[in-house]
Amino acid sequence: MSRRLYFLVPDIDTAHTVVDQLKQNEVAEDDMSVVARDSVQTSDLPQADVTETSDLVGSAERGAAAGGVTGVVAGLAAVAFPPAGLAIGGGLVAATGLAGAGFGAWASSMIGIRHDNSQIETYEKALENGQVLFMVDVAAERVNEIERVIQQAAPSAKIEGTDAQGDNAD
């Protein structure tokens, strides 16, 4: 299991220092992401992708659940009240559930991609003031070690989040 650390640094120069220190402590660049206001030049820093900056994943998950339930209910209704002259099997319930989940995930992700990640919205004011937000994924057993590295590189950084992440960040 890994943890995602969220913290702000005061400026782009400090962001470069933090990235260098994290790399020296064996944190892969793929496990780091930065977010800054549009006018701040961050092209040489690890960029956050759309799944980190938007509500894409959360919306897709919620849509799949809602669509799946709706599809199963529709399938059950079709089995209980079949159209005239058709014999409908139980496979229809599974098929409509899957179709509903797929459609729900797709439709919700189209909405979610237009909305900011709620975690990043928390830092919106600081970003507008020129600060740089870091998201760093580290193994759970390395959290304290990496927090010390961050504090040494950026003494003013306040690590505010340690969300649990999946097993993909080893």
Side-chain angles (χ1 to χ4, degrees):
M1 183 63 83
S2 68
R3 308 289 291 172
R4 174 165 287 171
L5 307 176
Y6 293 87
F7 59 95
L8 291 164
V9 297
D11 53 45
I12 199 70
D13 292 332
T14 306
H16 283 99
T17 301
V18 170
V19 168
D20 291 342
Q21 289 300 310
L22 289 172
K23 285 180 182 178
Q24 288 177 17
N25 284 275
E26 300 177 5
V27 175
E29 195 167 313
D30 290 345
D31 292 332
M32 297 180 239
S33 301
V34 297
V35 177
R37 69 178 182 209
D38 293 336
S39 62
V40 175
Q41 178 64 2
T42 60
S43 62
D44 56 341
L45 293 170
Q47 299 295 307
D49 63 24
V50 71
T51 62
E52 294 172 313
T53 59
S54 71
D55 192 32
L56 175 72
V57 175
S59 290
E61 289 171 348
R62 291 186 297 275
V69 168
T70 302
V72 167
V73 169
L76 289 171
V79 168
F81 307 105
L86 291 177
I88 298 176
L92 178 68
V93 175
T96 57
L98 287 173
F103 179 77
W106 173 79
S108 294
S109 67
M110 294 298 104
I111 295 167
I113 202 166
R114 293 177 171 223
H115 295 282
D116 288 339
N117 178 327
S118 61
Q119 190 73 299
I120 291 177
E121 285 179 346
T122 304
Y123 302 100
E124 200 64 40
K125 187 125 180 111
L127 294 172
E128 288 173 12
N129 291 331
Q131 294 185 50
V132 179
L133 173 65
F134 269 82
M135 294 173 279
V136 180
D137 296 333
V138 297
E141 62 272 7
R142 292 193 70 199
V143 167
N144 291 334
E145 169 197 353
I146 298 304
E147 285 180 347
R148 282 191 297 277
V149 170
I150 294 165
Q151 289 299 297
Q152 289 173 348
S156 66
K158 182 180 175 197
I159 299 168
E160 298 187 11
T162 53
D163 291 347
Q165 300 294 304
D167 290 330
N168 60 354
D170 288 321

